[in-house]
Amino acid sequence: MKTPTLLNYAADQWIAGAGGLADVQSAVSGEVIAATGSQGLDFRAMLEHGRKIGGPALRAMTFHQRAWMLKDLANAIMARKEELYELSYETGATRTDGWIDIEGGAGTLFSFSSKGRRELPNGRVLIDGAMEPLSRGGSFVGQHVYTPLQGVAVHINAFNFPIWGMLEKLGPTLLAGVPAIVKPGSSTGYLTEAAFRIMIEAGVLPPGALQLIMGGVGDLLDHLTLQDVVSFTGSAATAMKLQTHPVIARESVRFVAERDSLNASILGPDSGPDTPEFDLFVKEVAREMTVKAGQKCTAIRRAMAPAAHIDAVEQALRDRLAKVRVGDPREEGVTMGALASHAQRDSVRAAVAELAKSARIVSGDPETSPVAGNGAFMSPILLRSDDPWGNDSVHDVEAFGPVSTIMPYRDLDDAIALANRGMGSLALSLFTFDPAVAEAFVLGAGAYHGRMVIIDRTSARESTGHGSPLPVLVHGGPGRAGGGEEMGGIRGVVHYMQRTALQGSPAVLSSIVGQWLPGAPKVEGELHPFRRRIAELDIGYTLKTASRTITIEDIEHFAHFTGDTFYAHMDEEAARASPIFGGRVAHGYLILSFAAGLFVDAPPGPVLANTGLDNLRFLTPVYPGDSIRVELTVKSKSVRDEEKGEVRWAVQVFNQKDEAVASYELLTMNRP
Ligand code: NAP
């Protein structure tokens, strides 16, 4: 049978590399299963296509439209996931490993879709922080905003998660409105190509939004500009090569680097062999060594335990690792598959040899394959370093496979210092049931680690574990880990946007950001705003109510009715002695309730429900005899589906002297 050639996707066309194709082998059988290459692609034209066709089309969409598109892409992948699992086995991945890659990848898109619709406006500009008053009269203000970059995101990915690695970058990129060129790791790129093809065939992406390079990137980097982003995942050596590319330096091209990392896991000083934390620690170290055959950037490479317990840890880990069944990942009962390629196994063997110069192997044999045939199999390798301060390699050499080194520490400070000796990591886990140990670790080691997970008997069952990057949390780490940050919810989206400090009048800035800002015009109309559907509610549309006087009887009635008889409302003498009130005052909640009574329009209509309040502040006390009135202004609105949407109202309550008494944002669910 002819070996299939993997195709590039350039300028919306599937194109085979013109010669110089490289063979790709199955990790399990060693057979050639595909040919790959990108020779002959016009890389400059690909960038231009993204900039001229993909970018404008994506930027014409709102955040919500792009978020729906992500959901469609995730659904398309889920609908055809079994095709992907079949290919995933060839990369050496078990079904569980494949689940992380395939369904974890789709899940990341779902998560960004959901966050995009809930946390981003249904517009094209994203507000960053609050408006800053810049003038005494309020006619000149400042507001930070984000707009999408107008170039292309170049995603260079590692081989280990061919689908998740692509999707965790694409989610934030597409949500930001930026087109991407994806370049997967060559040894497992066939799985990326299959998932990419599913997304193209879903037919939901605008032209130019995505392109794919199935081989070297040629002169692509020579044509980057300030509007492009390179997001790289891979080894420190490649990152350094790319980061120092003269065009990237000259044009200040944004470069996000996710590199290797000597992640640590620490058994707390309080967690002896008779504690649940000890068992949880051993289980997690063994799991991290074997999931994905240890080819995870977040895997535990250094496992640290109190010196008094290191022998017990070693024994417990050896017992656990003895139960690992290495083999063809399609086979029932196999718990660890193959490394992704022979080259990868060679590089892990070389790294283990380096580590073994100063640490000893206490479990596993790196040189003999535990499985007959030509697959890239290897047994899990546990090393022990009894002198971790006299041994640099365990803190420096990453064996990107099923390899971990245990080491003793003297006390908490020693453990923190050892953890930090990795010089920057993606993930650290700590197994302790003592909050003081956890606090000391966070203060002592937080600056060196991108994510810290503290696991104990109360959280273990529901914990997502040491090694799982999550779409809602930041993934990345300082120093050796690359200094980059990805995901983290909307934080990851703004990596593909430019923050600009806008200055101008509230009216102009309001219309730019699509939100009413304090000081912008308020427009009154005949119709009560509760009678208008979302489509008919203009930003700034305002209801100014009549006023209502608050009496001492109102305050007493409210106090007895609700049970809130706090002295400031009910005890004249004590209230007079208060440094804040100087006399009895109305309850804040009474003011809110009366405010609602003033602005609500009662009969059924487009407003379906009150769903909450944000940013509530009571600004001036209201005394018996004071009158209050309300200004209710449409601040922003967002249609969720055909049935409903959300309106955010700016509510300002004033007294008879026009002093602001209370302000808040009211949320209502409305008909669109
Ligand atoms: P790698 O050899 O550095 O390759 C990473 C990517 O860079 C691949 O797509 C590779 O393509 C590409 N590449 C290599 N040289 C290039 C060049 N001169 N110009 C443009 N692209 C180039 O790393 P890997 O072996 O694939 O991945 C394993 C490493 O990645 C480990 O060290 C691991 O710790 C790290 N990693 C980090 C994270 C993280 O999130 N921090 C996640 C996963 C993996 P080819 O495959 O075609 O050479």
Side-chain angles (χ1 to χ4, degrees):
M1 205 174 79
K2 193 170 170 297
T3 309
T5 300
L6 303 173
L7 300 183
N8 303 277
Y9 193 69
D12 300 305
Q13 304 293 324
W14 290 103
I15 303 172
L21 297 180
D23 285 344
V24 183
Q25 287 169 293
S26 160
V28 179
S29 65
E31 281 166 25
V32 174
I33 52 171
T36 190
S38 60
Q39 254 186 38
L41 290 185
D42 185 341
F43 296 101
R44 182 184 206 147
M46 287 177 76
L47 285 167
E48 280 306 305
H49 187 72
R51 289 177 192 132
K52 294 215 170 102
I53 307 292
L58 286 167
R59 292 198 297 277
M61 299 163 77
T62 66
F63 285 109
H64 287 203
Q65 288 168 329
R66 297 194 290 256
W68 285 115
M69 180 178 77
L70 293 185
K71 188 168 185 183
D72 290 340
L73 294 176
N75 278 325
I77 286 174
M78 288 304 285
R80 293 174 61 182
K81 66 181 181 181
E82 290 307 326
E83 296 169 35
L84 300 173
Y85 273 111
E86 264 316 302
L87 280 177
S88 173
Y89 289 129
E90 298 297 346
T91 70
T94 62
R95 179 95 190 177
T96 311
D97 297 337
W99 182 87
I100 302 169
D101 193 32
I102 300 163
E103 304 195 37
T108 301
L109 289 186
F110 281 128
S111 175
F112 275 98
S113 172
S114 160
K115 281 214 162 264
R117 284 174 283 127
R118 270 164 219 289
E119 296 177 26
L120 297 178
N122 192 15
R124 296 175 184 83
V125 174
L126 176 60
I127 279 190
D128 175 40
M131 191 190 87
E132 296 289 343
L134 299 176
S135 60
R136 195 172 296 191
S139 67
F140 189 68
V141 296
Q143 176 69 61
H144 291 95
V145 299
Y146 286 105
T147 54
L149 290 177
Q150 297 181 12
V152 173
V154 176
H155 293 169
I156 300 179
N157 296 328
F159 69 83
N160 59 334
F161 284 108
I163 297 179
W164 177 85
M166 166 171 67
L167 299 182
E168 61 103 6
K169 285 182 166 60
L170 282 185
T173 304
L174 291 173
L175 190 51
V178 176
I181 297 177
V182 177
K183 185 256 176 286
S186 290
S187 56
T188 57
Y190 51 92
L191 185 49
T192 311
E193 193 233 37
F196 187 97
R197 189 177 287 275
I198 289 172
M199 292 197 289
I200 297 298
E201 287 173 5
V204 297
L205 287 159
L210 289 189
Q211 301 181 77
L212 179 69
I213 298 176
M214 294 302 301
V217 298
D219 64 354
L220 183 86
L221 303 186
D222 296 343
H223 306 295
L224 295 177
T225 75
L226 75 163
Q227 290 298 309
D228 303 316
V229 183
V230 177
S231 183
F232 170 82
T233 299
S235 64
T238 312
M240 236 166 341
K241 200 187 301 170
L242 302 184
Q243 218 155 2
T244 51
H245 188 285
V247 173
I248 290 180
R250 192 186 69 218
E251 303 290 321
S252 305
V253 177
R254 266 188 220 189
F255 193 95
V256 182
E258 297 291 350
R259 308 193 322 206
D260 54 23
S261 171
L262 275 296
N263 310 293
S265 184
I266 297 98
L267 180 67
D270 55 308
S271 306
D274 49 349
T275 62
E277 285 70 28
F278 182 94
D279 296 335
L280 293 167
F281 170 77
V282 168
K283 205 165 140 193
E284 192 68 353
V285 173
R287 193 163 73 108
E288 286 291 312
M289 286 175 71
T290 52
V291 170
K292 202 68 199 164
Q295 300 163 109
K296 277 193 345 181
C297 53
T298 49
I300 297 169
R301 303 286 171 216
R302 301 176 299 147
M304 298 163 188
H309 304 318
I310 194 75
D311 291 337
V313 164
E314 180 191 323
Q315 191 55 51
L317 272 171
R318 285 167 61 164
D319 292 346
R320 255 194 183 269
L321 294 174
K323 293 189 197 128
V324 173
R325 213 182 120 208
V326 184
D328 183 334
R330 284 189 177 86
E331 262 175 43
E332 186 92 11
V334 161
T335 51
M336 189 175 104
L339 296 176
S341 63
H342 286 116
Q344 188 54 29
R345 186 173 62 181
D346 291 346
S347 112
V348 174
R349 283 177 172 163
V352 171
E354 195 58 36
L355 289 169
K357 284 182 187 161
S358 41
R360 50 196 168 93
I361 296 175
V362 293
S363 178
D365 172 3
E367 295 305 328
T368 45
S369 171
V371 181
N374 196 24
F377 294 98
M378 182 175 196
S379 56
I381 309 294
L382 184 69
L383 296 106
R384 173 168 168 165
S385 167
D386 283 311
D387 179 18
W389 283 107
N391 179 350
D392 290 334
S393 59
V394 293
H395 307 291
D396 190 41
V397 174
E398 184 204 44
F400 199 61
V403 182
S404 194
T405 305
I406 57 170
M407 58 195 79
Y409 67 80
R410 288 189 304 274
D411 54 23
L412 194 55
D413 287 345
D414 193 42
I416 290 170
L418 279 175
N420 295 350
R421 241 192 117 183
M423 300 311 289
S425 89
L426 297 168
L428 173 147
S429 54
L430 173 64
F431 291 77
T432 179
F433 195 47
D434 182 347
V437 169
E439 186 189 352
F441 239 96
V442 171
L443 285 170
Y448 284 78
H449 308 276
R451 180 165 58 82
M452 295 174 89
V453 49
I454 300 148
I455 298 179
D456 65 25
R457 63 197 75 174
T458 66
S459 63
R461 226 165 67 81
E462 293 194 305
S463 149
T464 51
H466 168 103
S468 311
L470 300 174
V472 297
L473 298 184
V474 161
H475 172 61
R480 173 163 187 148
E485 252 190 29
E486 292 183 321
M487 301 196 293
I490 301 307
R491 291 175 191 86
V493 178
V494 302
H495 295 149
Y496 297 93
M497 306 185 85
Q498 174 63 41
R499 178 163 45 201
T500 304
L502 292 184
Q503 293 172 273
S505 73
V508 166
L509 298 198
S510 275
S511 76
I512 292 170
V513 300
Q515 274 194 25
W516 181 83
L517 298 174
K522 293 180 172 180
V523 180
E524 290 176 83
E526 291 289 304
L527 202 57
H528 189 287
F530 277 26
R531 297 290 112 215
R532 294 187 172 215
R533 301 176 80 101
I534 293 184
E536 304 153 350
L537 272 177
D538 293 331
I539 302 295
Y541 192 70
T542 299
L543 171 75
K544 295 186 178 174
T545 71
S547 70
R548 168 173 189 159
T549 302
I550 297 183
T551 65
I552 193 73
E553 289 78 24
D554 290 331
I555 295 170
E556 292 186 347
H557 176 71
F558 190 81
H560 293 305
F561 181 51
T562 61
D564 177 356
T565 53
F566 190 59
Y567 80 90
H569 317 304
M570 298 301 286
D571 181 337
E572 183 61 40
E573 203 179 318
R576 210 172 306 128
S578 143
I580 296 175
F581 303 119
R584 288 170 76 180
V585 293
H587 303 67
Y589 299 118
L590 172 61
I591 297 168
L592 288 188
S593 303
F594 278 177
L598 287 167
F599 67 66
V600 155
D601 188 56
V607 179
L608 302 170
N610 170 358
T611 54
L613 296 181
D614 277 348
N615 303 323
L616 170 63
R617 288 288 177 281
F618 296 117
L619 304 162
T620 311
V622 172
Y623 297 95
D626 282 354
S627 300
I628 59 164
R629 65 179 183 84
V630 181
E631 295 186 11
L632 176 79
T633 304
V634 178
K635 181 178 167 71
S636 65
K637 54 183 191 170
S638 148
V639 174
R640 209 168 269 179
D641 53 39
E642 285 166 10
E643 307 272 292
K644 56 190 179 313
E646 187 181 79
V647 178
R648 187 175 281 269
W649 310 81
V651 185
Q652 291 170 296
V653 184
F654 298 98
N655 64 15
Q656 67 280 6
K657 291 184 255 176
D658 278 340
E659 293 165 329
V661 162
S663 76
Y664 52 99
E665 290 168 16
L666 168 74
L667 302 170
T668 58
M669 189 67 78
N670 288 41
R671 286 189 206 285

